[in-house]
Amino acid sequence: MMRFILIALALLALPARADVEIQSVTSKGGHKAWLVEEHSLPFVALEISFRGGTSLDRPGKRGSVELMVSLLEEGAGELDARGFAEANEALATSFGFRASRDSLNISAQFLTENRDASVALLRSALASPRFDDDAVVRVRGQLLSSLRSRQTNPGDILSEAWDSAIFGDHPYGTYDGGTEASVQSLTRDDLITAYKDTMALDLMYVGAVGDITADELAVLLDNLLSDLPEKGGSLPDRAEQNFDGGQTLIHFETPQSIARFGHGGLRRDDQDFFPAYLVSQVMGGLGSDGRLMQEVREKRGLTYGIGAYLFELDYAEGFYGQFSSQNDNMAEALDVVRREWARMAEEGITPEELNAAKTYLTGSYPLRFDGNSNIANILVGMQMEGLPIDYIATRNDKVNAVTLDDANRVAARIFQPDELTFMVIGKPDGLSDADIAN
């Protein structure tokens, strides 16, 4: 019952609004965090992220960070896996441990009355993971099963082939969960190395939201983080991306093909980011009102859904899209995407499209702030992206400040039809002239 109460508090602690007041907190031990106080409910959400993530896998050890993170709840300090789970349940805490290409993320939610005990339990997972042999065998088996499943999933096959073609030898170019061979060969020493490389103070960002003051958070940070490694592994170089404007077909027996397309993007700190964000939404976002949805689905019925978006990784930027289509419709759908990409580069957007995009983006923004956990995650993301502490209050003004001239100038910059690269998996009709990948 207590766990259900905690989940309810996580969802309801703050209403959906973007007028949050953020404080910068520095503990006596020098640990920094951003905090939003909300004392209406006895609940705290804590988000901790470490820059680097699975990109810090050592050579030949792909999957080590993923396996290590999956073991953080499988015993820590004096508690084995069962003991840790029972302590977690008794406190009604909720912990989440996950790794991605650029970060290792830890989420914690706990009741005010159990804060000290919950922090002590989390500290044991962060500072004293056990990596017991039986837990390693069990979790490794789960990851190997997932890897085998990916080998028969066309979406996963496409994603791995795309990353390999675009990013080459960079860590982004391989699946961060590793391969069966690499995961099978990992030792306990490899897991300890992955832990020391990734969960270090020089890579860390913290956000907290809920029933806690700045002074209390400062004490919590020192209690929680004091035993973590000081310095992590060396972060990778920027990725060199290969967008040649070509088309690759991966043969796969299925009645419906999947296509991914894209080219390079631009950095979040680029002065043209907000105009680029708006025109990218006109093309690939805005729900059913985006151009791709209108042209590919609504007018022609070639897919159930299609989208495209600007994104930024720590070491690369891109503008990607994806959709599925019946085999006999795929060639036509690809042609429509190419035409719309070229039209956007040449003509830009209309005043009506600009206004619709502004309304959509400014109206949907407060909906992101729909609970303590989401806000804590946003606080960490802002810090990792180098955004100012008042960004939430000024973001919609930056969207509304974009003019039509700005949008169309930037559309010509970011839409590059000659570099638009496609990869398709399936048995699509009419693509016999495509490059073939087996």
Side-chain angles (χ1 to χ4, degrees), residues 43 228 301 319 378:
F43 163 77
L228 289 179
F319 193 175
I378 289 170

Side-chain angles (χ1 to χ4, degrees), residues 208-220:
V209 181
D211 185 27
I212 189 169
T213 66
D215 289 342
E216 291 169 336
L217 178 60
V219 173
L220 182 156

Side-chain angles (χ1 to χ4, degrees), residues 53-59 61-66 175-176 178 194 198:
T54 60
S55 293
L56 291 177
D57 277 331
R58 294 290 181 97
K61 305 296 182 181
R62 200 63 165 138
S64 61
V65 172
E66 182 72 29
Y175 177 54
D176 47 11
T198 56

Side-chain angles (χ1 to χ4, degrees), residues 23-46:
Q23 304 174 61
S24 180
V25 176
T26 302
S27 74
K28 290 182 178 179
H31 306 304
K32 299 179 183 296
W34 283 6
L35 167 67
V36 174
E37 292 189 41
E38 172 55 50
H39 299 286
S40 60
L41 292 171
F43 163 77
V44 177
L46 185 69

Side-chain angles (χ1 to χ4, degrees), residues 317-387:
E317 302 80 41
F319 193 175
Y320 289 3
Q322 185 164 313
F323 66 95
S324 300
S325 184
Q326 295 297 315
N327 286 332
D328 56 354
N329 290 331
M330 178 56 76
E332 181 182 358
L334 295 176
D335 287 341
V336 175
V337 172
R338 288 189 179 94
R339 289 200 301 270
E340 290 304 311
W341 220 261
R343 183 164 75 94
M344 179 66 84
E346 295 171 4
E347 301 176 8
I349 65 175
T350 67
E352 293 77 17
E353 287 175 322
L354 178 62
N355 290 333
K358 288 182 177 181
T359 299
Y360 179 86
L361 293 177
T362 57
S364 63
Y365 189 57
L367 302 180
R368 301 182 186 181
F369 302 84
D370 61 348
N372 287 3
S373 298
N374 286 344
I375 297 173
N377 191 29
I378 289 170
L379 296 184
V380 167
M382 289 170 58
Q383 294 174 74
M384 296 184 77
E385 292 181 14
L387 298 175

Side-chain angles (χ1 to χ4, degrees), residues 78-93:
E78 298 180 354
L79 300 175
D80 62 10
R82 175 175 291 184
F84 190 93
E86 290 174 350
N88 197 350
E89 185 68 28
L91 292 169
T93 60

Side-chain angles (χ1 to χ4, degrees), residues 50 195-204 229-232:
F50 299 89
Y195 164 78
K196 292 178 178 178
D197 282 348
T198 56
M199 297 179 61
L201 295 174
D202 66 324
L203 304 173
M204 186 184 67
E230 289 287 338
K231 185 173 179 57

